[in-house]
Amino acid sequence: MPTPLLELRHLVKSFGGVLAVAGASLEVEEGRLLALIGPNGCGKTTLFNLVTGIERPEAGSIRLAGREIGGLPPQARARLGIGRTFQVPGVLAALSVRENLEVAATAAGRPRAEVAHALEQAGLGRFAERAAGTLPHGLQQRLELAMVLLQRPRLLLLDEPTAGLELGESLAVAARLRRLVAAEGIAALVVEHDLAFVRALGAEVAVMLRGRIAARGPYARVAADPDVRAAYLGSRA
Amino acid sequence: MSREPLLPALLLWTALALLPFAAPAWLLAQLAQYLAYGLLAMSLAYVWGQGGLLSFCQALFFGAGAYAFALAGLGRLPLLPASPGLGLVLAVLVPTALALLLGLLLVGARVATGPAWAVLTLVLGVIAERLAVASPFLGGSNGLAGLPPLALPLPGRTLELLDPLPTYLALLLVAAAVQLGLARAIAAPSGSLLRAVREDPLRAAHLGIDPTRARLRAFTLAAAVAGLGGGLFAAQFGFVAPPLLGLGLSTEVLVWVAVGGRGSPLAALLGAVLVKTVEGLLGEWLGAGWPLALGLLLLLVVLLFPRGIFGGLLARLAGAPDP
Ligand SMILES: Nc1ncnc2c1ncn2[C@@H]1O[C@H](COP(=O)(O)OP(=O)(O)OP(=O)(O)O)[C@@H](O)[C@H]1O
Ligand SMILES: [Mg+2]
């Protein structure tokens, strides 16, 4: 078996008395699209924070392409090819849309010429000179994704990319993601609450429960898992 | 603001270069002093407006530059000859080194945001002033006087920067060069990385930017500019004293920059000139009541022009996005 791109082993992270991530293990292979679902507060965002370096794990290991990265600061992990969007869109609010993309391109060492292309691709050309913070939520998300893609990441971590979007928009995002993963061969881990979106992704699903990855597999099989039904799907359906 | 509009800057510098044909010597001397303050103001505008680091110790670097110039000019430094020219070089190098050291301690320790940063920079300025007062080497509370003026070796003779006209022209040249240099740094790709760190250090780090390094660079560059201003200030007046390092001046420059506009070094420089001018006028008209009047004026400006009097104007000229 080839080395997985991302390999998480028994990660633990607590805040005060709250065990946010409680021994989570997960592998994401090169070119894989994987949805991460789980009830509110089960530790999905914290897991992302551990992978990108905002938080340091108390135990466990984080490997990217076989290399332990748990001790690196976020900027070093970004340069190794981890791109991430935030649950609250992390655009640079006071800067123009164009400058947001310029920042992403410059930081990644990409030529600025790619900015025009990215603007076009994201359909943000009309808003290029607007301050990013003044854009509607959905466009901010689009901008954020465009910035992350300028990094040319090997691993894409998306934290609820469809939060606040209408169904049509969110299905379009799913289609776009599928194309991206197929065309660029990058791996993507997508946190999502919206099960319609997860089905539209057509991806494998990992379920997080109380800080652990409790199940992983095709949507239909995971949805049939009694634990998952009881703890997650049951409570929402 | 991401781009300093070039045209207003060039117009201003040209007008100021022509001023000696029309202005009396006392006004040139006054303006030369304001331009030295203007360098200090530009340094704060850069580190605060672009880097998001509201430094309460910017005068520390101005004063360090002034003292470095004084010590070298008087030949008080071991192994070094008495030389104002060397003094000016040290006026840049010493604050730069100091900022690097303090920056590694402060910025590196991740206190670059939040109340700890404000308190620490504030305390640093106070400590520096006290140290200068207590140090015989630095002349104690009297400071150091009798500094030799800067001298420009021209073919055939040496031009000493004692008279208002050459002093004014020298400061004008330096201020213009620094302003245009900062404008370039702001418009450069690395300038936008610094603004990204200002906006959201964590997000910036996720894009691959090292926030600590970006801030450290800005902090150090600003200290170098402030030090240059301090050195030229000392050269003009021939004397230095502890208040040049202290909290009082650090607060004053904050006011200039807030009034002028922290988004742009040029606006901040104009803010310094404006506030110092108004201060002088109010002092003449109102006697002891001027600080109160000045305070009220500041309050009005900050409420009416959140980007500063000149900052808003320049931003509009540059077509910057509304915040
Ligand atoms: N910085 C923090 N300080 C204290 N507690 C935290 C912190 N971050 C997360 N937690 C706690 O850790 C647990 C997991 O939170 P996390 O944000 O990872 O959940 P999540 O699965 O992303 O939830 P959601 O679906 O609501 O986004 C929660 O109980 C949360 O309150
Ligand atoms: Mg979350």
Side-chain angles (χ1 to χ4, degrees):
Chain A
M1 243 190 66
T3 327
L5 182 61
L6 179 71
E7 191 179 6
L8 309 178
R9 280 272 150 88
H10 308 300
L11 283 180
V12 176
K13 176 71 196 176
S14 57
F15 298 101
V18 181
L19 204 52
V21 172
S25 297
L26 181 68
E27 291 180 1
V28 183
E29 299 78 11
E30 203 104 35
R32 166 84 68 183
L33 182 56
L34 183 63
L36 181 62
I37 66 172
N40 288 111
C42 71
K44 304 179 295 291
T45 297
T46 307
L47 192 72
F48 273 18
N49 288 345
L50 291 171
V51 175
T52 59
I54 298 182
E55 306 283 0
R56 295 293 163 98
E58 283 141 44
S61 80
I62 306 165
R63 284 170 186 278
L64 187 73
R67 172 176 173 192
E68 175 64 45
I69 58 165
L72 299 179
Q75 61 269 22
R77 301 190 200 193
R79 289 192 209 120
L80 287 175
I82 299 182
R84 179 214 176 141
T85 65
F86 289 78
Q87 202 163 344
V88 178
V91 298
L92 306 162
L95 307 187
S96 70
V97 168
R98 184 192 305 283
E99 196 175 9
N100 267 272
L101 292 166
E102 281 173 357
V103 165
T106 307
R110 322 281 329 160
R112 279 202 169 186
E114 287 190 13
V115 167
H117 184 242
L119 265 173
E120 192 74 15
Q121 280 259 304
L124 290 168
R126 282 196 297 138
F127 308 103
E129 308 311 328
R130 284 259 299 268
T134 65
L135 294 184
H137 182 84
L139 290 182
Q140 288 194 29
Q141 279 177 325
R142 240 195 266 171
L143 172 59
E144 194 188 20
L145 185 60
M147 288 164 72
V148 172
L149 291 178
L150 271 174
Q151 285 177 262
R152 298 279 166 89
R154 305 165 72 185
L155 174 68
L156 199 52
L157 304 174
L158 305 177
D159 203 345
E160 305 202 18
T162 67
L165 297 191
E166 286 160 22
L167 183 64
E169 284 178 299
S170 92
L171 293 182
V173 172
R176 178 133 191 262
L177 266 177
R178 278 212 322 256
R179 274 200 307 277
L180 250 169
V181 170
E184 316 258 339
I186 57 184
L189 185 57
V190 186
V191 165
E192 196 44 72
H193 275 306
D194 177 0
L195 295 181
F197 174 86
V198 171
R199 277 191 296 266
L201 264 187
E204 239 189 288
V205 178
V207 186
M208 196 164 185
L209 295 177
R210 288 177 297 276
R212 272 194 202 87
I213 304 297
R216 174 176 176 175
Y219 180 83
R221 198 173 84 214
V222 167
D225 185 297
D227 271 355
V228 173
R229 291 189 72 91
Y232 179 54
L233 300 171
S235 72
R236 292 176 65 89
Chain B
M1 189 183 337
S2 61
R3 303 238 191 297
E4 288 261 68
L6 195 58
L7 192 61
L10 291 180
L11 284 176
L12 176 78
W13 297 124
T14 313
L16 287 178
L18 295 175
L19 198 62
F21 291 111
W26 68 264
L27 184 61
L28 296 183
Q30 187 78 277
L31 280 175
Q33 183 197 346
Y34 293 174
L35 286 173
Y37 284 140
L39 285 166
L40 175 58
M42 288 197 282
S43 79
L44 182 65
Y46 183 70
V47 73
W48 179 22
Q50 297 292 316
L53 297 172
L54 174 47
S55 159
F56 285 97
C57 66
Q58 207 57 21
L60 169 57
F61 303 117
F62 186 79
Y67 271 96
F69 177 83
L71 290 170
L74 293 170
R76 291 236 187 153
L77 296 174
L79 304 179
L80 295 175
S83 154
L86 176 69
L88 200 57
V89 173
L90 289 180
V92 175
L93 292 186
V94 170
T96 304
L98 191 63
L100 202 60
L101 189 78
L102 295 175
L104 280 172
L105 288 172
L106 297 182
V107 181
R110 291 166 211 285
V111 293
T113 47
W117 168 262
V119 173
L120 281 170
T121 55
L122 198 139
V123 167
L124 279 175
V126 174
I127 292 176
E129 188 173 357
R130 294 268 170 92
L131 279 179
V133 168
S135 158
F137 179 62
L138 298 178
S141 54
N142 292 326
L144 300 166
L147 316 181
L150 270 173
L152 223 59
L154 295 181
R157 67 199 183 103
T158 343
L159 181 63
E160 290 199 329
L161 295 191
L162 265 180
D163 294 329
L165 181 62
T167 307
Y168 170 77
L169 289 178
L171 269 138
L172 188 61
L173 207 68
V174 172
V178 166
Q179 188 270 322
L180 294 171
L182 286 176
R184 265 191 83 124
I186 287 171
S190 64
S192 60
L193 298 190
L194 180 61
R195 283 187 292 283
V197 171
R198 173 195 74 195
E199 284 300 301
D200 188 341
L202 202 57
R203 181 79 192 99
H206 276 80
L207 293 169
I209 303 166
D210 185 337
T212 304
R213 262 181 67 170
R215 283 175 165 153
L216 201 54
R217 274 179 52 171
F219 192 60
T220 312
L221 177 61
V225 170
L228 181 60
L232 289 168
F233 187 89
Q236 278 175 67
F237 288 95
F239 112 101
V240 296
L244 288 181
L245 293 155
L247 183 58
L249 183 56
S250 284
T251 320
E252 267 196 74
V253 58
L254 240 152
V255 169
W256 307 336
V257 174
V259 166
R262 66 169 193 251
S264 141
L266 181 62
L269 174 127
L270 292 173
V273 175
L274 179 72
V275 173
K276 289 309 275 183
T277 307
V278 170
E279 235 175 65
L281 294 176
L282 286 179
E284 273 175 35
W285 295 337
L286 301 175
W290 72 264
L292 187 64
L294 185 65
L296 287 175
L297 210 66
L298 290 179
L299 200 63
L300 272 181
V301 167
V302 171
L303 289 176
L304 294 179
F305 306 96
R307 288 173 152 197
I309 293 184
F310 304 107
L313 219 70
L314 289 173
R316 198 151 311 155
L317 287 172
D322 285 328

